Amino acid sequence: MGAGDRSRALKFLEKARRLDPSLPIDDLLSDLNNQSPSPGSTAPKPSLRQRGSSSSSSSSSSASFTEEQRAIVREIKSKKDYYEILGLAKTSSVEDMRKAYRKLSLKVHPDKNKAPGSEEAFKSVSKAFQCLSNEDARRKYDVSGSDEPSYQTRRSARRTHHSGFNGFYDDEFDADEIFRSFFGGGGMAPAATQFRSFNFGGGNRAATNQGSDTTGFNPRVLLQLLPVVFILLLNFMPSPQPIYSLSPSYQYEHKFTTHRGVNYFVRSGKFEQEYPINSLERQRVEAQVERDYLTILGQNCRYELQRQQWGYVRETPHCDMMRRFDSAAAAA
C-alpha cells in the first residue's frame, strides 16, 4: 500500500482474510477500493488452472524458451518412476527429496519455463515429491511400484488405520499448492484429524421424549448415552503394538532375518532375549512373518497380473519373487 501497488495490496489482504477471517482489515479494503489503480501496479499472476484454460489461446503466439528448458521438460515427461523423475536413488533421504524438488520445480515451473509440456512436467515433479516425502506413502509405493492403491493384509490395514494415514493416491492433487507450501516457508500442512460422528435413534423422537419428561429422571437418556461412553473408552484404551514390521521405521529399527531369507524389523532391542533363537516363540513369530510376506506378495502378484492383462505392464516382479519363495520352501 505504501508503494501504491493497489492490486497486489488487495491480493494480500484477501489472502490474509482467508487465513484469519477475524482480522480487522475492512478499513484497509475500503481505502484500497476508493483508490484508483496506479500506473505501475500489476495484476496478480493467474493460477495453474487459469493458465491451463488460457493455454489454447496463447499457443499461437511464440513463447520464448531455451533448448535446455525444453530438454528437461521432455526428460521428465518421459519418466514414470518417481525416483527417476526426481533423479534420486531409492535409498535417498527426505532431505534429498526436498533438495531435488526445490531444484526441479524451479526449472519446470510454468512461470519460469515456457516450453511446451512444462505444466505436465511440473505436476509430475510435485506428485513425485508429495508421495516420496511421506514415509507411509513412500513405503507403499516401494512395494506396489505405482501411485494407485494396492491391496494390503488385514494386519497392515489395521496398523495403517491407527496411524491416521489416508493414502497417497489423491484425486484432488494441486501442484501449485505444494509449490506454495514448500517455498512459502510454512511446510507441508499436516493431515486434519477426522472424527466419527454417531447418531443413535431419530432426532425428532429424542427431542419429543425429552420434552415430555423434563420433570424427572429419564432412564432412556442414560441408555442412549451408554454406547457413547463405551465407544469413548475404547478410543482411549491403548492399542497393542505389533511385535514386528516388514518395513523399517523410526520405531522398528532392529533388523532380523528368517531362515527363508525374509527380513523383518522389531521395536525392542531385547528381542533376542525375549525370543531366543530356535525357541518356540521365535519360530512362531518368524512363521507369522513369512505368512504375512507371502500374503503381500500374492496380493501384489494378482494386481500385477491384472495390469499385465490390460496391457499396462509387461513384467510381474512380485509374481517372480513369489515363485522363488515357493521354490525355496519346497527345496527346504
Side-chain angles (χ1 to χ4, degrees):
M1 292 179 66
D5 195 340
R6 177 177 175 274
S7 61
R8 289 182 62 81
L10 184 62
K11 170 187 172 182
F12 283 106
L13 282 175
E14 291 175 350
K15 184 175 182 179
R17 167 156 286 178
R18 288 197 301 271
L19 295 174
D20 186 0
S22 63
L23 286 178
I25 60 175
D26 292 335
D27 293 339
L28 296 176
L29 288 172
S30 178
D31 294 341
L32 281 175
N33 291 329
N34 293 332
Q35 291 178 4
S36 58
S38 61
S41 62
T42 58
K45 294 181 179 180
S47 65
L48 186 62
R49 293 185 179 89
Q50 292 172 338
R51 287 195 301 270
S53 61
S54 61
S55 61
S56 59
S57 61
S58 61
S59 60
S60 58
S61 60
S62 58
S64 57
F65 56 87
T66 64
E67 186 63 30
E68 181 183 359
Q69 290 177 326
R70 181 165 59 180
I72 192 172
V73 167
R74 289 180 175 176
E75 181 182 359
I76 292 176
K77 290 180 64 178
S78 65
K79 297 176 180 178
K80 300 300 181 183
D81 183 78
Y82 286 167
Y83 290 100
E84 294 180 0
I85 290 175
L86 296 178
L88 297 173
K90 290 190 176 182
T91 56
S92 302
S93 63
V94 177
E95 185 61 29
D96 295 332
M97 304 288 174
R98 295 178 64 87
K99 291 179 180 179
Y101 173 75
R102 178 188 297 273
K103 180 180 178 181
L104 286 176
S105 62
L106 290 176
K107 287 185 176 181
V108 298
H109 195 282
D111 287 345
K112 302 285 186 181
N113 190 331
K114 303 299 181 181
S118 59
E119 284 192 21
E120 290 79 1
F122 176 64
K123 288 182 179 180
S124 298
V125 172
S126 300
K127 196 169 186 179
F129 172 73
Q130 183 189 39
C131 171
L132 298 182
S133 61
N134 182 286
E135 181 180 354
D136 292 326
R138 181 179 180 181
R139 185 184 303 117
K140 292 178 67 176
Y141 180 80
D142 289 342
V143 173
S144 64
S146 171
D147 61 348
E148 298 178 7
S150 61
Y151 299 102
Q152 294 180 328
T153 61
R154 294 181 180 178
R155 180 185 301 271
S156 62
R158 289 196 296 269
R159 290 199 296 265
T160 304
H161 170 72
H162 288 301
S163 65
F165 173 65
N166 294 323
F168 60 87
Y169 186 73
D170 188 5
D171 291 334
E172 301 298 329
F173 174 73
D174 191 343
D176 259 350
E177 183 63 27
I178 297 176
F179 186 83
R180 288 193 299 268
S181 300
F182 186 89
F183 288 96
M188 298 297 292
T193 305
Q194 298 180 354
F195 297 92
R196 292 186 176 90
S197 60
F198 300 92
N199 184 14
F200 298 94
N204 294 333
R205 184 172 68 251
T208 304
N209 292 337
Q210 291 178 359
S212 63
D213 193 13
T214 57
T215 59
F217 174 74
N218 191 348
R220 294 181 180 179
V221 177
L222 179 61
L223 291 176
Q224 290 181 348
L225 289 177
L226 283 178
V228 179
V229 175
F230 179 72
I231 292 172
L232 289 176
L233 290 176
L234 287 180
N235 288 335
F236 284 102
M237 290 178 62
S239 59
Q241 295 290 339
I243 300 175
Y244 64 88
S245 172
L246 296 180
S247 302
S249 65
Y250 69 95
Q251 290 182 330
Y252 297 87
E253 57 182 357
H254 303 283
K255 180 180 177 181
F256 291 88
T257 305
T258 67
H259 292 293
R260 295 168 66 179
V262 179
N263 296 327
Y264 64 100
F265 303 84
V266 299
R267 296 164 53 91
S268 174
K270 300 180 181 179
F271 178 76
E272 287 188 320
Q273 300 176 7
E274 299 172 355
Y275 300 89
I277 299 178
N278 298 325
S279 65
L280 182 60
E281 292 80 6
R282 181 72 167 267
Q283 293 176 3
R284 289 176 178 175
V285 170
E286 294 191 348
Q288 184 63 44
V289 168
E290 293 174 350
R291 283 195 295 269
D292 287 350
Y293 176 74
L294 189 60
T295 301
I296 294 176
L297 286 182
Q299 291 173 343
N300 284 281
C301 175
R302 290 192 293 270
Y303 179 70
E304 289 174 347
L305 291 174
Q306 188 178 30
R307 288 173 60 85
Q308 186 184 53
Q309 184 179 3
W310 292 341
Y312 293 150
V313 296
R314 294 183 178 178
E315 299 179 353
T316 55
H318 289 95
C319 296
D320 297 338
M321 294 169 62
M322 186 175 178
R323 284 190 288 268
R324 289 196 298 267
F325 189 80
D326 290 337
S327 300

